[in-house]
Every structure is written in structure tokens, then in C-alpha cells.
Amino acid sequence: MFKRPALALAAGAALLLLAAPAVTAAPYTAAELEETVTVDPTGHVSADGTVTLSGTYRCTDSTGAAFVSSSVSTTKASATHGTSTLIQGIGGTVAVCDGVTHRWENTSRPSPAIGPGKVSVEATVAELRFEGILPLPRIHADERHEVTLTKA
């Protein structure tokens, strides 16, 4: 006796679901679009050649170890080899991916030494997420800027 209304209700619900527009996932969440890393326009070189770079970062939703890494690129001209670019890592800082803007500062003494002047700096906020047994990097934010290194 109650079978027909229940069948009619189920059929109506199925038709509504079929008529509803398909929802597709966006390639990025709003939080991911807000993830940033900045590089301060001035860095420092101490008397012993130690380079210090700094800036800010904001990241969200990390499930693995996250960090801010930085590197310096310098270009040198050579009469015999043309132009060469040397990229040197300048430390790393543990990142807290809580959606709040934090400061970062990385320090390292590269070899060969880098003197005062303009350099290209790349800063990256990355996380190591495990996919099965492999830790794979997930980039939260990446930025490149020209920085002036001054004597500390």
C-alpha cells in the first residue's frame, strides 16, 4: 500500500539528481591561492662570507615536514668559457603551515664566497608528503627576486 508513494519519491529524487549541474573540483583551493613567500630586497654578507637572507611566508594544510629554502644565483663572465651561472643554497628554515604570515631567515657560508652586490635569490616553501613509502615534494610557494647583498 505504501510502495507507490515511496517509488514515486525515489524516482523524483533520481530525476532531480540527474538534472543538477555537475560539480567539478577546482584545480586550487582558496587557501592554496593565498600561499606566498617573499624575499626582502636586502641581504647581508658578514666579514667571514656568511650570507643572510630573509623574508616572509604563508602556507596552509601541510601534513608532512615543511620548510623555506633559499638559494643565490650569481653570473660570471669568463674569456674562455663564456658566461656561467653558479647557484648556491643558503640554508633552510622549518615552516609552520597554519595560514598565518611568518618571517623566515636563512644563513649559510657559501663556497666560493659571494661578495656584496646584486644577486638573484629564489625562495621556496616546500613540504615532503609521503606517497606510499616515498617522500615527494609539494611546493606551496616559490618566488625569485633580485636582492642587494650589503656588508653586515
Side-chain angles (χ1 to χ4, degrees):
M1 166 153 92
F2 293 105
K3 289 182 183 177
R4 285 190 180 172
L7 286 174
L9 184 61
L15 285 174
L16 284 174
L17 287 174
L18 289 174
V23 177
T24 59
Y28 300 103
T29 66
E32 288 174 328
L33 293 176
E34 295 175 4
E35 295 184 311
T36 61
V37 63
T38 68
V39 179
D40 291 341
T42 303
H44 303 284
V45 180
S46 67
D48 71 354
T50 299
V51 174
T52 301
L53 303 171
S54 58
T56 63
Y57 73 92
R58 180 177 57 228
C59 56
T60 59
D61 299 328
S62 69
T63 57
F67 52 93
V68 181
S69 64
S70 58
S71 62
V72 173
S73 300
T74 54
T75 304
K76 295 189 179 192
S78 168
T80 57
H81 293 81
T83 303
S84 64
T85 300
L86 179 63
I87 301 171
Q88 299 180 80
I90 306 295
T93 303
V94 174
V96 178
C97 292
D98 59 2
V100 175
T101 299
H102 298 276
R103 295 272 318 151
W104 65 269
E105 181 177 284
N106 292 343
T107 302
S108 182
R109 191 164 72 190
S111 179
I114 299 171
K118 294 211 180 270
V119 294
S120 178
V121 172
E122 181 175 10
T124 304
V125 180
E127 167 190 3
L128 291 178
R129 284 193 176 174
F130 279 89
E131 297 290 330
I133 61 169
L134 295 175
L136 299 176
R138 175 180 178 250
I139 304 300
H140 286 264
D142 185 57
E143 192 67 40
R144 287 188 178 138
H145 285 287
E146 191 167 277
V147 170
T148 302
L149 295 178
T150 61
K151 290 183 181 181

